[in-house]
Amino acid sequence: MKKQVYAILLGTTFILASAGVSHAMSELIGMSKEPVWPTSPTPDGKLVYSVTTVGRAGAGLLEVVLTADGFPPGVTVTFSPSVLRFTGNQITSQTATMTVSCPGLIPIDCFPFTITGTSQRESVTVTNEVLYSASFLAIRPPTLVLDHLADGGFRLRGAGATGKTYQIEATSDLAKPDWTPIGSSAADGNGRFTFFPGRETSASMRFYRAVEAAQ
C-alpha cells in the first residue's frame, strides 16, 4: 500500500514529510525544501531552492522524479537533476536544485504551490499554506536580516513591498544615528531583496536599515 503525506508551510518554513510503505523493495521516505527565504537580487531574478529527498532502494534501484505545480502563469520551474536515484539498502539522501524563473514582478508567495517526488510505488508531496496576500505584499514595510558568510563578509536579506527599490543605510551609533546611504536594492515579486555591504574597518559595530527610495 502507498501513503501520501503533505507538509504544510506555516509562516515560511517547510517541514519534513515522511511516508511509510509496507513493501520491501524500495522506500521513498520523505522530502524537504530549503531555504525558506530564497534570495533574488533583482525583480527578474531566479529563485533557487535545494530539494532533498530521503529514500532507500532495498533490493533494487529507486528512482524519484521531481515535479512542481501550482505556480502562477509565466513562472517556469526546473530541477537539476530531475530524477534522483537511490541504490543499496541503507537510508540515504539526494539533493536537487530547483530553479524558479519569475519574469516580471510575479509574487509566487501568494500561490499554494507544491513539490512532488514520485517513485514507482509511492509519492511524497510538500505544499505551502499561503499566509500573505498580494495586497499585503504591495505595502509591507521593510525588515532586514544580517547573515554572516563563510568568507567573513556579510549579506543583508530584506523583506518589503513588491517591486519597491530600497536604499540601504548604515550607522555606527544608534544613540545618535547618522544614517549614511551605502547602496540600494530592488525587491522581487515577493518583496524580497538582497544587498552585500562592504566590510567596515573604521567602526567596531555597524547597524543597517532599509528605507524606500524616492521614485
Side-chain angles (χ1 to χ4, degrees):
M1 298 294 293
K2 65 180 182 180
K3 296 181 181 179
Q4 189 177 53
V5 177
Y6 292 86
I8 303 299
L9 179 67
L10 299 177
T12 55
T13 304
F14 272 101
I15 64 175
L16 181 67
S18 63
V21 292
S22 59
H23 59 80
M25 286 297 295
S26 64
E27 294 179 84
L28 174 55
I29 308 297
M31 187 169 64
S32 61
K33 177 190 77 63
E34 63 178 13
V36 296
W37 190 4
T39 58
S40 176
T42 67
D44 294 322
K46 297 179 179 179
L47 305 178
V48 179
Y49 302 85
S50 292
V51 178
T52 300
T53 301
V54 180
R56 175 170 53 195
L61 174 67
L62 173 66
E63 293 187 332
V64 180
V65 179
L66 298 175
T67 57
D69 195 19
F71 288 95
V75 172
T76 59
V77 181
T78 58
F79 292 92
S80 180
S82 59
V83 180
L84 300 176
R85 295 177 172 87
F86 297 84
T87 59
N89 58 9
Q90 299 296 317
I91 296 177
T92 56
S93 63
Q94 300 280 348
T95 300
T97 299
M98 182 177 98
T99 302
V100 181
S101 299
C102 306
L105 298 176
I106 299 179
I108 65 171
D109 282 353
C110 301
F111 291 80
F113 62 86
T114 61
I115 305 170
T116 301
T118 304
S119 65
Q120 184 177 0
R121 296 177 177 84
E122 64 268 340
S123 65
V124 172
T125 297
V126 290
T127 187
N128 65 301
E129 179 179 313
V130 175
L131 298 181
Y132 299 121
S133 66
S135 59
F136 173 76
L137 290 176
I139 61 173
R140 179 170 54 181
T143 57
L144 290 177
V145 174
L146 179 65
D147 297 324
H148 295 260
L149 304 179
D151 62 0
F154 300 97
R155 176 179 62 192
L156 290 170
R157 289 181 294 131
T162 298
K164 296 292 186 180
T165 297
Y166 291 97
Q167 181 172 279
I168 309 300
E169 300 177 346
T171 184
S172 59
D173 186 358
L174 285 181
K176 297 180 180 180
D178 180 16
W179 293 104
T180 301
I182 59 173
S184 63
S185 183
D188 64 13
N190 298 288
R192 294 188 287 257
F193 56 95
T194 307
F195 184 80
F196 293 88
R199 299 188 184 186
E200 174 61 42
T201 59
S202 61
S204 59
M205 299 185 68
R206 204 178 193 196
F207 305 91
Y208 301 91
R209 73 176 183 182
V211 296
E212 186 175 337
Q215 300 298 319

